[in-house]
């Protein structure tokens, strides 16, 4: 599973909340029993203010943001690029969101204009809705004005290879691990997200089905790639 991180830029107030604790506070933390209560208090603060994932912005005060070509550099940010992106380098902290909480796949990275992607092969091994990541990617592309092929949400079949294409967008080949072609052999309920350990038999089964999905659709995949090949 591929993970990606999205940046949500915070305000300047967070910097004020990240000052070093005083010597008195450090002494109190050293008293037996106070560390637990301190942890509970800090956890409650994080929960109420939702500051998970806040990290120092390594682009803070970067000289590159002062140059005229900064809009081109950050064109991958979609609608955000139409605004002045200098705030990216002016905030000392950013909030990072794991893709598992968002799209759960790396579409935001692949849809960047600089990538010049023609074909995206999406190997979806998610549990649950086989098309959830595809729907989220469609919404993300729409909000950020990024090219993405039309997807008919009301006409989705759990086949092993779904192709969505348009001359003006990248072609998306969506391949769920569990599908109608291997319904008798593959049941994702055997491999829930919370499952932390796999034995050799389970690993071999996952490998076999993933390989078979590609092998069955080799011709279709190559055809779609050829359609997008640019003449020399």
């Amino acid at each position: 599973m591929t993970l990606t991180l999205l940046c949500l830029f915070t305000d300047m107030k967070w910097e004020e909340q990240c000052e070093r604790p005083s010597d008195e506070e450090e002494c109190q933390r050293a008293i037996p029993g106070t560390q637990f209560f301190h942890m509970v208090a800090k956890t409650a603060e994080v929960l109420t203010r939702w500051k998970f994932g806040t990290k120092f912005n390594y682009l803070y005060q970067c000289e590159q943001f002062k140059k005229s070509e900064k809009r081109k550099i950050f064109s991958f940010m979609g609608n955000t690029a139409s605004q002045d992106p200098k705030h990216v380098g002016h905030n000392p902290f950013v909030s990072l969101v794991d893709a598992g909480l968002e799209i759960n796949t790396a579409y935001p990275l692949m849809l960047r204009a600089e990538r010049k992607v023609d074909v995206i092969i999406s190997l979806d091994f998610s549990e649950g809705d086989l098309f959830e990541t595809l729907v989220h990617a469609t919404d993300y592309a729409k909000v950020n004005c990024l090219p993405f092929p039309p997807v008919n949400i009301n006409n989705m079949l759990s086949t092993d290879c779904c192709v969505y294409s348009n001359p003006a967008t990248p072609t998306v080949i969506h391949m769920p691990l569990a599908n109608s072609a291997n319904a008798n052999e593959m049941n994702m309920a055997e491999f829930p997200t919370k499952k932390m350990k796999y034995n050799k038999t389970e690993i071999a089964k996952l490998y076999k089905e993933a390989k078979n999905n590609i092998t069955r659709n080799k011709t279709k995949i190559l055809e779609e790639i050829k359609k997008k090949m640019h003449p020399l």
Side-chain angles (χ1 to χ4, degrees):
M1 182 181 293
T2 304
L3 301 178
T4 186
L5 297 175
L6 305 178
C7 291
L8 303 177
F9 302 99
T10 60
D11 53 29
M12 298 295 290
K13 295 180 180 179
W14 179 251
E15 180 182 19
E16 300 174 358
Q17 300 168 2
C18 296
E19 297 179 354
R20 181 185 179 279
S22 64
D23 293 338
E24 181 180 355
E25 290 175 330
E26 291 288 2
C27 291
Q28 290 178 350
R29 294 180 188 180
I31 300 175
T34 58
Q35 291 184 350
F36 172 76
F37 292 106
H38 174 73
M39 178 192 70
V40 173
K42 296 299 291 185
T43 301
E45 178 183 0
V46 171
L47 287 173
T48 56
R49 299 186 180 183
W50 196 252
K51 292 295 184 180
F52 285 107
T54 300
K55 303 293 181 182
F56 178 74
N57 182 12
Y58 64 90
L59 295 176
Y60 181 52
Q61 295 185 339
C62 178
E63 292 294 325
Q64 190 68 41
F65 292 97
K66 300 179 181 179
K67 298 184 179 181
S68 59
E69 63 269 21
K70 62 187 177 183
R71 291 187 182 276
K72 180 178 180 181
I73 295 173
F74 292 95
S75 60
F76 69 89
M77 296 176 67
N79 284 344
T80 307
S82 63
Q83 307 169 7
D84 189 351
K86 65 183 180 181
H87 68 280
V88 176
H90 284 192
N91 287 336
F93 294 89
V94 294
S95 291
L96 306 179
V97 180
D98 191 296
L101 300 177
E102 291 291 335
I103 301 178
N104 202 26
T105 191
Y107 278 109
L109 297 180
M110 294 297 100
L111 295 176
R112 288 174 55 171
E114 294 85 349
R115 296 275 188 178
K116 298 180 179 180
V117 174
D118 294 313
V119 179
I120 299 175
I121 301 177
S122 170
L123 306 178
D124 196 328
F125 296 174
S126 302
E127 179 190 13
D129 188 348
L130 302 179
F131 297 95
E132 182 178 5
T133 57
L134 188 62
V135 172
H136 288 331
T138 303
D139 295 339
Y140 175 86
K142 183 177 181 180
V143 170
N144 291 279
C145 299
L146 297 171
F148 201 82
V151 176
N152 188 351
I153 300 177
N154 298 322
N155 189 28
M156 289 182 173
L157 301 176
S158 58
T159 59
D160 54 352
C161 185
C162 305
V163 178
Y164 305 94
S165 62
N166 186 282
T169 70
T171 294
V172 175
I173 302 176
H174 187 70
M175 305 182 69
L177 178 61
N179 50 73
S180 58
N182 61 9
N184 295 328
E185 295 81 21
M186 191 66 195
N187 183 4
M188 289 304 294
E190 301 176 16
F191 309 98
T193 303
K194 296 181 180 180
K195 186 179 179 65
M196 296 289 104
K197 294 182 179 181
Y198 292 84
N199 56 43
K200 292 183 178 180
T201 303
E202 293 170 329
I203 294 174
K205 182 177 182 179
L206 288 171
Y207 174 78
K208 176 184 177 181
E209 294 305 325
K211 180 181 178 180
N212 288 343
N213 273 2
I214 297 295
T215 303
R216 279 195 305 270
N217 297 283
K218 177 181 177 180
T219 301
K220 184 185 293 187
I221 294 172
L222 292 177
E223 287 178 353
E224 295 301 327
I225 292 175
K226 289 179 180 178
K227 290 179 183 179
K228 286 293 185 176
M229 289 179 65
H230 301 285
L232 297 177

